[in-house]
Amino acid sequence: MTVGIVGLGLIGGSLAKAYHEAGHRVLAYDIDSSVTAFAQMANAVDEALSEENIAQCDLLLLAVYPQAAIDYLAQYAALLRKDAVVVDCCGTKRIVCAACFKIAKEHGFLFVGGHPMAGTHFSGFKYSRATLFKGAPMVLVPPVLDDMQMIERVCKLLDAPCFGHFSVTTAEKHDEMIAFTSQLAHVVSNAYVKSPTARSHKGFSAGSYKDLTRVAWLNPQMWTELFLDNRDHLIAELDGLCSELQKYRDALSEGNSETLCALLEEGKRCKEEVG
């Protein structure tokens, strides 16, 4: 199988390595041609992806920012084969899927929204690895939810990264869930480290600090686009969090140990229920 990969950052680079190690032919493009050249020297990519060979791709993976994914597909859609499958790897789905479903329908190939649920706080090809997705969840947003034959076909094409589980959902549901499981966590972490106390934390911090601050180190440009694309769901989560935090603050301000203990017990119980 010939796999085309657009974007050779952490996600795209890891996909390239996974497919190449599985014995597939990998064609790749990155806006920085030196990254593509390095990926070839690193034996993760066979050739640069271009207008001349994009029609050879059985599978095309778009591992770039949402708008860049839309723009790339719009520019090269006419060159893709009718039997090609295109999957994006963006962190939000509504804007990407709305545009790319339409492009795919116009040109006769299959587009499926995708979100590999794996990563690190580091970015770039140098941090990519073939095992990044091993056992990780992969969310799929197909144009039709109940076409099992189509979904099985896509899952088979995505076999090389060794995802542990596939979830199939709508773009709306994906964005609602990801606002809580990912985006809110990044906002909270990024805001948390802005405390003046953070500058003198050494010697006073352990696991709790590390857990809460890990994703504060993020890619500002990418997350800005993702947050704005999903602003309605993210704002709803932030409003909910602020409301809950106010309850803790009020209990502390009032010296109300009974209410504070009840709030803590409630949070503990919620964690036990959701895992």
Side-chain angles (χ1 to χ4, degrees):
M1 177 170 71
T2 297
V3 181
I5 297 177
V6 180
L8 285 172
L10 175 69
I11 301 300
S14 295
L15 289 168
K17 291 176 179 179
Y19 276 97
H20 197 274
E21 285 192 9
H24 299 290
R25 179 174 174 239
V26 177
L27 311 178
Y29 166 81
D30 191 272
I31 193 170
D32 184 346
S33 59
S34 67
V35 175
T36 306
F38 181 79
Q40 289 178 264
M41 290 188 290
N43 202 32
V45 171
D46 293 289
E47 300 175 36
L49 178 65
S50 66
E51 292 184 16
E52 288 70 34
N53 60 21
I54 193 172
Q56 298 171 23
C57 294
D58 302 291
L59 172 66
L60 182 65
L61 299 169
L62 306 176
V64 290
Y65 298 0
Q67 190 57 52
I70 296 169
D71 293 343
Y72 184 92
L73 192 60
Q75 183 174 353
Y76 296 105
L79 301 178
L80 293 170
R81 299 201 314 262
K82 302 295 184 184
D83 62 344
V85 174
V86 181
V87 179
D88 83 285
C89 301
C90 300
T92 57
K93 296 269 72 78
R94 284 177 293 173
I95 291 176
V96 173
C97 287
C100 293
F101 284 156
K102 182 179 180 181
I103 294 169
K105 185 176 182 180
E106 290 173 353
H107 293 275
F109 57 81
L110 174 63
F111 173 84
V112 174
H115 188 180
M117 301 302 298
T120 73
H121 54 290
F122 296 109
S123 60
F125 181 81
K126 67 178 180 178
Y127 295 107
S128 64
R129 61 182 190 274
T131 58
L132 181 65
F133 308 106
K134 188 173 182 179
M138 175 63 164
V139 182
L140 297 178
V141 179
V144 181
L145 286 175
D146 59 356
D147 188 339
M148 294 309 299
Q149 186 175 2
M150 179 263 288
I151 293 170
E152 288 175 6
R153 177 191 174 199
V154 174
C155 290
K156 186 175 181 180
L157 289 171
L158 295 172
D159 183 64
C162 298
F163 293 108
H165 175 73
F166 288 93
S167 297
V168 179
T169 189
T170 63
E172 177 68 32
K173 186 63 177 178
H174 169 277
D175 286 2
E176 178 185 357
M177 291 301 297
I178 219 68
F180 170 71
T181 62
S182 177
Q183 295 185 340
L184 181 63
H186 282 79
V187 170
V188 170
S189 181
N190 195 263
Y192 173 75
V193 295
K194 293 178 181 179
S195 167
T197 314
R199 299 189 180 277
S200 55
H201 78 87
K202 291 183 180 179
F204 296 87
S205 57
S208 298
Y209 174 83
K210 292 178 181 178
D211 288 345
L212 190 50
T213 59
R214 182 180 66 83
V215 294
W217 190 0
L218 45 67
N219 180 327
Q221 289 74 32
M222 181 185 76
W223 284 102
T224 294
E225 183 171 344
L226 294 175
F227 290 162
L228 289 175
D229 282 354
N230 203 31
R231 72 186 77 179
D232 53 345
H233 290 309
L234 182 53
I235 288 172
E237 290 294 343
L238 282 168
D239 286 346
L241 177 61
C242 290
S243 177
E244 289 299 318
L245 288 174
Q246 187 63 48
K247 295 177 185 178
Y248 291 83
R249 192 189 187 288
D250 289 346
L252 286 166
S253 178
E254 297 163 5
N256 192 328
S257 61
E258 184 177 343
T259 298
L260 183 58
C261 188
L263 288 168
L264 294 171
E265 181 61 37
E266 180 185 27
K268 177 185 176 184
R269 186 171 62 253
C270 287
K271 175 57 179 174
E272 289 172 348
E273 291 173 357
V274 304

